[in-house]
Amino acid sequence: MENKFHLTIITPDRELFIGEVVSLNSEGSEGHFGILPNHAPMIATLVPTVTTFQDVSGKQHTAFTSDGVFKVNNNKAVLLCNSAEWPEEIDKERAEKAKERAESRMKEKDKNLDSTRVQLALLRALARLKLAQQI
Ligand code: ATP
């Protein structure tokens, strides 16, 4: 039995983290989930959230991860998401504006509104703001 697993967090633009970890917590469309070494194979749709993980040196990491997909199999976990940032990279004002934009679109009640898209935009902004407030 292994006491660690390999984690990759990638977006179309960057590799946020690649390394050995002992635990991971993130969120999928069916709720929060936690991964430990030797986890059963699993696939999930990711929603924008604050993802945390502990590396093999014991250091705790926290990052914003956007919508995407998650897979774990054979002690290899991958978060493939549309965007991801470390807390210090988050532009709080930009996230505030994105939140206001999404909220005002929701209030417009436009029948052509792509509500899933707006909800995801709001979730991205809220998760970024939550993380930015933690630093
Ligand atoms: P916005 O409407 O402000 O672009 P968004 O949620 O639509 O926000 P994303 O599609 O998630 O943005 O990301 C597009 C790019 O912009 C990614 O590279 C992402 O890392 C970056 N990004 C978006 N918002 C922020 C932010 N508040 N702080 C830092 N980087 C951001």
Side-chain angles (χ1 to χ4, degrees), residues 95-132:
E96 263 313 334
K97 284 189 183 137
K99 174 176 172 276
E100 283 162 19
R101 242 183 353 259
E103 284 172 340
S104 73
R105 280 197 189 122
M106 279 173 164
K107 279 187 204 139
E108 279 169 19
K109 293 192 177 134
D110 177 349
K111 64 175 170 32
N112 295 319
L113 181 80
D114 182 341
S115 59
T116 307
R117 194 171 155 193
V118 179
Q119 272 163 16
L120 275 176
L122 181 59
L123 286 179
R124 289 196 296 274
L126 291 174
R128 284 182 170 120
L129 288 171
K130 183 178 167 189
L131 186 50

Side-chain angles (χ1 to χ4, degrees), residues 13 30 32-33 41 48 52 56 68-69 71 80 100 107 117:
D13 309 324
E30 290 176 22
H32 290 272
F33 61 86
T52 58
V56 283
V69 287
K71 179 187 108 154
L80 172 59
E100 283 162 19
K107 279 187 204 139
R117 194 171 155 193

Side-chain angles (χ1 to χ4, degrees), residues 12-76:
D13 309 324
R14 71 188 293 194
E15 293 169 350
L16 188 86
F17 182 87
I18 297 182
E20 301 294 318
V21 303
V22 295
S23 63
L24 166 76
N25 285 283
S26 190
E27 188 176 353
S29 52
E30 290 176 22
H32 290 272
F33 61 86
I35 303 291
L36 292 170
N38 311 300
H39 197 284
M42 169 182 144
I43 192 153
T45 303
L46 293 170
V47 297
T49 194
V50 173
T51 289
T52 58
F53 54 96
Q54 191 180 341
D55 70 26
V56 283
S57 76
K59 186 176 175 207
Q60 193 75 24
H61 300 255
T62 308
F64 162 77
T65 52
S66 190
D67 48 298
V69 287
F70 171 77
K71 179 187 108 154
V72 62
N73 186 22
N74 254 337
N75 278 320
K76 287 190 182 68

Side-chain angles (χ1 to χ4, degrees), residues 13 66 83-85 89-91 94-95 98 101 121 124 128:
D13 309 324
S66 190
S83 52
E85 293 120 39
E89 294 173 335
I90 292 173
D91 178 338
R94 179 173 170 177
R101 242 183 353 259
R124 289 196 296 274
R128 284 182 170 120

